[in-house]
């Protein structure tokens, strides 16, 4: 099953501050819902473990993330894959870009994901809802970390 998502979020912090946060495994681990582990394994690679619940299905996904097409303080593409045992697999990519917006930063993202196994059987509407809720929670936590209130567009 394939899924597409996108969004924009105004963050009341400078582009440099947002860029640093988006590249700091400690900050990201605190912002990603269900993140149990996020450690840098190379210059642009990370290992992650994330626990998720979708309906009655709960799973722990372990996998890796890679940053590609990095343009310092402006954009990157995040690619990742994870295995959740009998629950299935997840994979995908997200293009993240930053732009100055007054005294803050406008973060735009566009993601494409693939889901397989039992997780895919719970249905697209439920999966989309969980993914949207997780994205909103991520940006709320990121805004809290950077000392501002979320402003989703």
């Amino acid at each position: 099953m394939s899924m597409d998502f996108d969004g924009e979020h105004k963050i009341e912090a400078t582009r440099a501050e947002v860029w640093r946060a988006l590249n700091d495994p400690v900050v990201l681990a605190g912002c990603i819902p269900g993140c149990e582990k996020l450690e840098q394994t190379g210059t642009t690679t990370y290992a992650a473990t994330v626990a998720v619940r979708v309906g009655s299905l709960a799973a722990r996904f372990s996998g890796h993330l890679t940053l590609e097409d990095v343009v310092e303080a402006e954009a990157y593409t995040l690619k990742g894959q994870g295995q959740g045992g009998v629950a299935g697999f997840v994979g995908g990519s997200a293009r993240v870009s930053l732009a100055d917006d007054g005294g803050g930063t406008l973060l735009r993202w566009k993601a494409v994901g693939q889901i397989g196994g039992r997780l895919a059987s719970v249905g697209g509407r439920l999966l989309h809802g969980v993914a949207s809720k997780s994205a909103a929670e991520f940006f709320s936590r990121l805004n809290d970390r950077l000392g501002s209130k979320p402003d989703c567009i």
Side-chain angles (χ1 to χ4, degrees):
M1 167 183 284
S2 181
M3 300 175 63
D4 297 340
F5 301 93
D6 61 13
E8 293 183 347
H9 299 272
K10 170 94 182 264
I11 301 172
E12 295 300 332
T14 67
R15 187 161 32 125
E17 291 169 322
V18 174
W19 183 259
R20 275 193 301 275
L22 291 176
N23 287 278
D24 183 333
V26 174
V27 172
L28 290 175
C31 295
I32 298 169
C35 185
E36 296 177 350
K37 176 184 94 167
L38 181 63
E39 58 187 34
Q40 194 161 4
T41 57
T43 306
T44 59
T45 57
Y46 301 84
T49 302
V50 178
V52 297
R53 176 173 285 286
V54 179
S56 62
L57 181 63
R60 179 170 283 109
F61 288 85
S62 294
H64 64 275
L65 303 167
T66 304
L67 300 180
E68 297 180 356
D69 306 321
V70 177
V71 179
E72 185 72 26
E74 288 185 24
Y76 61 56
T77 299
L78 176 67
K79 292 189 175 184
Q81 296 186 95
Q83 293 291 327
V86 296
F89 68 88
V90 295
S93 66
R95 182 69 179 168
V96 177
S97 63
L98 305 177
D100 294 329
D101 188 17
T105 302
L106 184 61
L107 184 153
R108 291 184 177 101
W109 59 278
K110 183 171 180 69
V112 177
Q114 294 81 38
I115 300 162
R118 288 185 56 205
L119 186 60
S121 70
V122 301
R125 183 180 300 170
L126 182 58
L127 286 169
H128 194 277
V130 169
S132 295
K133 181 180 176 192
S134 293
E137 190 172 336
F138 171 84
F139 287 109
S140 176
R141 290 177 180 182
L142 181 62
N143 272 297
D144 288 347
R145 284 269 186 159
L146 293 174
S148 65
K149 294 186 171 115
D151 182 12
C152 298
I153 298 172

